[in-house]
Amino acid sequence: MAPLPRTLELFYDVLSPYSWLGFEVTPGLGGRGPREGPAQDAGPTVSAVAGAAQRSLGHAGRARAEGHFVFVTRLQSLAPLQPSHPQAVLPHSGLEKGSLSAMRFLTAVNLEHPKMLEKVSRELWMRVWSRDEDITEPQSILAAAEKAGMSTEQARGLLEKIATPQVKNQLKETTDKACKYGAFGLPVTVAHLDGQTHMLFGSDRMELLAHLLGEKWMGPVPPAAAARL
């Protein structure tokens, strides 16, 4: 009998710096890339799932942003995390406006250009938490997509679709899916292993995830990854 497939799902929101860290450190599992399809040696397939669960599970206000900043600052040695102070970030980044448009855009990216999801997501995080820039206005989202390598035509086409029922429903389904797994914040990693499902909350559960996978935890930036960075 063939072995059961081993898969991971990463649920995140670009308004969450904890999600950003989880997004970046997942490759530390044996040095495998997280969003590049099936890994070698029968490793798990990992998919990044853009879900606006942050919106329904907790909103990032000013006090919370201060806590986020302290957390991310302590981890700024992990490239490419280069946080700015929240007093500068708050007026511009959308922390008080939410991330619904950005998450709908990422949903459209995932539907039509899934290979671009990683790069566009990262650019949106960079805008919020590194460059004190907005992610709520259409031009801001377009700028992030183009910086990630999308053509202007591609990005504009996706932006026109964020208000369509298909995109709205897909984002809602993704968020509902995270909630059904028991998510109460972000990021959430869901491991499907040997016919069982394991939900892990937070960006500091990588050692436990490695244990579940039978991998050795190499730290957030293992030697091979650090060399590439």
Side-chain angles (χ1 to χ4, degrees):
M1 180 181 295
L4 293 172
R6 306 166 70 219
T7 62
L8 302 179
E9 295 176 283
L10 177 64
F11 294 85
Y12 63 91
D13 189 302
V14 292
L15 204 58
S16 162
Y18 299 93
S19 290
W20 186 14
L21 179 63
F23 192 88
E24 298 293 355
V25 302
T26 300
L29 292 172
R32 294 190 175 108
R35 293 160 292 277
E36 301 173 351
Q40 296 177 355
D41 303 324
T45 299
V46 185
S47 60
V49 184
Q54 184 81 9
R55 189 172 175 83
S56 59
L57 300 176
H59 181 67
R62 182 172 297 275
R64 193 172 182 183
E66 291 282 352
H68 288 342
F69 171 72
V70 171
F71 171 79
V72 180
T73 298
R74 290 172 180 166
L75 296 163
Q76 61 185 325
S77 60
L78 304 180
L81 275 63
Q82 300 171 354
S84 297
H85 195 277
Q87 294 299 335
V89 171
L90 277 167
H92 305 293
S93 66
L95 286 175
E96 294 178 330
K97 298 179 181 179
S99 58
L100 186 57
S101 293
M103 297 310 296
R104 284 178 177 171
F105 184 79
L106 288 176
T107 299
V109 172
N110 203 27
L111 286 170
E112 299 198 14
H113 304 283
K115 291 184 179 180
M116 292 296 299
L117 181 63
E118 176 180 355
K119 292 182 179 180
V120 179
S121 297
R122 183 177 291 114
E123 282 303 324
L124 288 167
W125 269 307
M126 291 289 287
R127 288 183 70 87
V128 177
W129 290 103
S130 183
R131 300 197 297 269
D132 310 342
E133 295 173 344
D134 173 77
I135 62 165
T136 64
E137 299 298 329
Q139 289 303 318
S140 302
I141 296 172
L142 286 175
E146 290 174 12
K147 190 172 179 64
M150 274 195 162
S151 69
T152 301
E153 183 179 2
Q154 281 180 323
R156 289 188 181 278
L158 293 176
L159 192 61
E160 291 173 357
K161 296 180 180 180
I162 67 172
T164 63
Q166 181 188 19
V167 170
K168 288 182 177 181
N169 291 338
Q170 182 61 56
L171 182 55
K172 184 179 184 301
E173 288 175 11
T174 301
T175 302
D176 289 345
K177 186 178 181 182
C179 293
K180 288 177 181 178
Y181 282 134
F184 52 87
L186 294 171
V188 163
T189 303
V190 178
H192 304 278
L193 308 169
D194 302 321
Q196 297 184 341
T197 298
H198 307 268
M199 190 277 284
L200 302 175
F201 164 70
S203 57
D204 56 350
R205 302 295 195 270
M206 292 298 144
E207 189 170 0
L208 177 56
L209 180 58
H211 176 73
L212 287 171
L213 295 173
E215 299 281 354
K216 181 179 180 182
W217 172 237
M218 304 294 288
V221 185
R228 289 196 298 271
L229 291 172

